[in-house]
Amino acid sequence: MEPVSVVIPTLDEAETIGAVLAEIPRAFAGDLIVADGGSRDRTREIAGAAGARVIAAGRGYGRACAAGAAAAAPESRVIVFLDGDGADRADLMGEIAGPVLAGAKDLVLATRTRGMREPGAMLWHQVLAGRLAGLGIGALTGVRYSDMCAFRAIDRAALARLSLREMTYGWNIEMQMQAARASLRIAEVPLPYRRRAGGASKVAGSLPGTLRAASRIVATFLRVAAGPAPGR
């Protein structure tokens, strides 16, 4: 098995988590961590039966990601993050984890906006948000992103250097901003993206959810832009 830990933050993903775990290639299935944010369905039971380590992370997307990373196996050199809704192509994990394992990159992100997307997989405001974030980060750092996709692989030591603080929906943009400011070796890989396989999106599924996520992303962008760069 590759020295990789796979972290999947979840909240009521019983319809999809079993298939997500089953799709992960065997080479990357040595340390599967489901960081659960308080599911009230059978997410934890199904994930455990599928071979994942299930941890209680507390509420908040970023908090779940951070807890999952902290729980990674000691021998893991790379942390892979993906969502538990079945939209990310977990079977293509090698496309993002491979360059980090090889030591060629520190952070590799899947980009949905440059890849093939199923109709309805992304709403217009999600595409726009990724583009605006890319423009803003590019103006500050010179590194231009095209998306804020959750599917990403990062060198474990590099992640620790970033000292991420955001515990909600700003986790992804904080990682991307701090990675750029720390001069990490970054790449985006266009990957296909599906409609979520079940359940309702906590962000795009409702106007209040979208507004909450947008406010946290903007607040995180402003905080990180005004703060010091991570140590090199």
Side-chain angles (χ1 to χ4, degrees):
M1 294 290 184
E2 298 282 8
V4 172
S5 289
V6 178
V7 175
I8 307 174
T10 57
L11 180 62
D12 296 328
E13 308 286 3
E15 293 182 52
T16 57
I17 190 62
V20 170
L21 291 165
E23 191 176 50
I24 294 171
R26 292 180 61 84
F28 302 107
D31 188 35
L32 304 178
I33 303 166
V34 168
D36 190 68
S39 293
R40 291 177 290 182
D41 59 11
R42 298 179 61 244
T43 297
R44 287 170 289 188
E45 178 185 345
I46 294 169
R53 287 195 289 132
V54 181
I55 64 172
R59 297 301 289 265
Y61 179 82
R63 181 170 285 107
C65 290
E75 64 273 16
S76 293
R77 294 190 294 107
V78 176
I79 310 293
V80 174
F81 298 94
L82 75 156
D83 283 341
D85 61 9
D88 295 318
R89 285 289 300 272
D91 58 316
L92 300 178
M93 190 171 291
E95 298 292 317
I96 59 170
V100 185
L101 281 165
K105 298 294 180 183
D106 301 308
L107 171 63
V108 179
L109 309 102
T111 171
R112 302 164 294 182
T113 59
R114 292 169 49 204
M116 297 293 295
R117 303 192 301 273
E118 287 186 357
M122 290 184 73
L123 300 179
W124 68 268
H125 58 79
Q126 293 175 287
V127 177
L128 178 62
R131 290 176 178 167
L132 291 176
L135 288 172
I137 297 172
L140 286 172
T141 68
V143 176
R144 182 69 61 85
Y145 295 101
S146 64
D147 197 7
M148 291 185 289
C149 184
F151 197 18
R152 55 187 62 197
I154 187 168
D155 177 85
R156 189 178 193 171
L159 176 61
R161 284 169 49 200
L162 301 183
S163 300
L164 302 184
R165 294 167 42 194
E166 174 59 34
M167 294 291 102
T168 61
Y169 290 115
W171 164 273
N172 288 338
I173 195 170
E174 183 179 27
M175 182 190 293
Q176 289 171 233
M177 292 180 73
Q178 295 292 57
R181 299 176 81 200
S183 299
L184 297 191
R185 297 168 299 165
I186 302 166
E188 287 189 321
V189 177
L191 289 181
Y193 190 68
R194 300 175 291 214
R195 295 186 301 274
R196 63 180 296 123
S201 171
K202 287 74 178 176
V203 176
S206 68
L207 180 59
T210 298
L211 293 175
R212 281 195 302 271
S215 66
R216 288 308 310 168
I217 290 169
V218 171
T220 302
F221 179 92
L222 295 174
R223 172 178 61 78
V224 175
R232 298 187 182 182

